[in-house]
Amino acid sequence: GKVRVQYEEENQYDKQPMEGGYFQNGLEQIARGKYLATCEGDDYWTDKGKLQAQYDYMEAHPECVCCGHRAIVVDARNGDVPVSDLGYGEESCDLTPEQIIRGFSLQTATLFYRAGFSDKYLREWPLLRVVGDYPWVVFLSQQGTVHYDKEARSVYRSMAAGSYSSESDEGKRIMGYKQLIQLHLALDDLTNRQYTDQFLARARLYAWLLVVADGYRFFMEEPNRGDERFKRLLPFSQRIKAQALHALMMIKRTIIG
């Protein structure tokens, strides 16, 4: 079969953000094939047989709507020195929705998915515009199976200039924490609250970071304060500790300023 490649000379996310994500609302709309594979500019594939292996698996497993594999994480600030792996361990397996929600570890460049689901995703899952692989794969897990391949076939360049992982502006980070909390609650609603415990566990880290950085005000805004799930995000003892750290940080800034 043929492989059709779509190259981009500019960062399309910065140039013209697309509702629902570039791959779903941009790439798939012009794709002609049965499957799609993705690779962003700061990452790269390392296995010449990657696409063939994923194609063969999907052809043999029509119930599978998406597959991904292990990735090698390198520090782009330090000559691409390998620092860790990203994946679900040393055994290939089908992933449950709970596994995907609890710890999403399928990096963009590893994904290979069946075409034809974007229209439903854009129509039925109107989500906030944040990093898009996570909600997309959660959605796909509701349409069929998602498979993990233990082989490392790509590199994820962490902290590359201009990448999401290099974000250092405090205001943007605070906004990002708020969006990620709202994203998990929206996903909980869209999956009919089947996985509430998993979504809240995932959002708890962002809630902690948000309170430390910006206090508790976000949780007291409407309609947040009326949603019982917000109360479950941070138990009272953790909330007090996070607010104390926030207060100490504000005092330190005042003294230094």
Side-chain angles (χ1 to χ4, degrees):
K2 294 182 179 180
V3 176
R4 182 169 179 251
V5 182
Q6 174 73 16
Y7 292 109
E8 299 291 358
E9 296 181 0
E10 298 179 78
N11 186 321
Q12 297 300 307
Y13 182 87
D14 289 340
K15 181 181 177 183
Q16 184 180 359
M18 294 184 180
E19 202 66 36
Y22 168 70
F23 297 119
Q24 293 76 38
N25 203 15
L27 186 61
E28 184 162 334
Q29 304 307 313
I30 59 174
R32 302 173 186 171
K34 188 176 180 180
Y35 303 106
L36 293 95
T38 56
C39 187
E40 293 181 317
D42 50 344
D43 306 320
Y44 52 92
W45 297 336
T46 57
D47 181 356
K48 292 182 179 180
K50 166 192 156 66
L51 295 181
Q52 187 66 58
Q54 292 184 299
Y55 173 85
D56 290 345
Y57 183 87
M58 297 285 277
E59 284 290 287
H61 297 84
E63 76 283 357
C64 183
V65 295
C66 177
C67 59
H69 53 74
R70 190 161 57 93
I72 303 299
V73 181
V74 302
D75 187 343
R77 303 167 302 179
N78 192 27
D80 281 9
V81 174
V83 293
S84 65
D85 290 359
L86 186 62
Y88 290 90
E90 299 298 325
E91 297 296 330
S92 299
C93 61
D94 288 344
L95 299 172
T96 66
E98 289 87 349
Q99 285 177 292
I100 294 168
I101 296 165
R102 187 165 55 243
F104 183 64
S105 298
L106 293 177
Q107 197 269 331
T108 301
T110 78
L111 297 178
F112 187 96
Y113 56 92
R114 203 174 296 276
F117 289 100
S118 286
D119 287 343
K120 182 177 181 180
Y121 178 70
L122 296 169
R123 183 176 65 253
E124 298 182 7
W125 286 46
L127 295 171
L128 299 168
R129 283 187 54 254
V130 294
V131 175
D133 293 332
Y134 173 58
W136 171 236
V137 177
V138 171
F139 167 80
L140 290 176
S141 76
Q142 304 299 294
Q143 316 306 314
T145 62
V146 175
H147 184 73
Y148 166 69
D149 174 7
K150 67 180 181 179
E151 301 298 328
R153 305 181 189 274
S154 66
V155 162
Y156 171 48
R157 300 183 71 240
S158 179
M159 307 306 292
S163 70
Y164 183 82
S165 61
S166 70
E167 186 60 69
S168 60
D169 180 86
E170 183 179 18
K172 290 183 179 180
R173 283 192 291 109
I174 289 172
M175 180 58 67
Y177 297 150
K178 293 178 181 179
Q179 289 181 327
L180 286 164
I181 292 169
Q182 291 173 322
L183 171 69
H184 285 83
L185 297 185
L187 286 170
D188 188 33
D189 288 333
L190 289 166
T191 52
N192 299 315
R193 303 203 178 186
Q194 299 177 76
Y195 316 108
T196 298
D197 289 343
Q198 287 80 19
F199 283 122
L200 291 183
R202 174 91 185 215
R204 192 159 288 129
L205 170 62
Y206 306 118
W208 169 269
L209 293 172
L210 176 59
V211 174
V212 171
D214 197 46
Y216 200 68
R217 71 190 79 178
F218 175 69
F219 297 83
M220 299 306 294
E221 296 173 359
E222 295 293 350
N224 301 343
R225 64 184 301 170
D227 189 331
E228 287 296 319
R229 292 173 299 177
F230 272 87
K231 297 178 182 178
R232 293 175 57 190
L233 275 175
L234 280 183
F236 182 74
S237 60
Q238 292 184 23
R239 188 190 317 166
I240 295 300
K241 290 178 183 178
Q243 288 178 297
L245 287 172
H246 173 69
L248 288 172
M249 185 175 65
M250 292 297 99
I251 292 171
K252 183 178 179 180
R253 287 183 180 176
T254 302
I255 293 172
I256 294 175

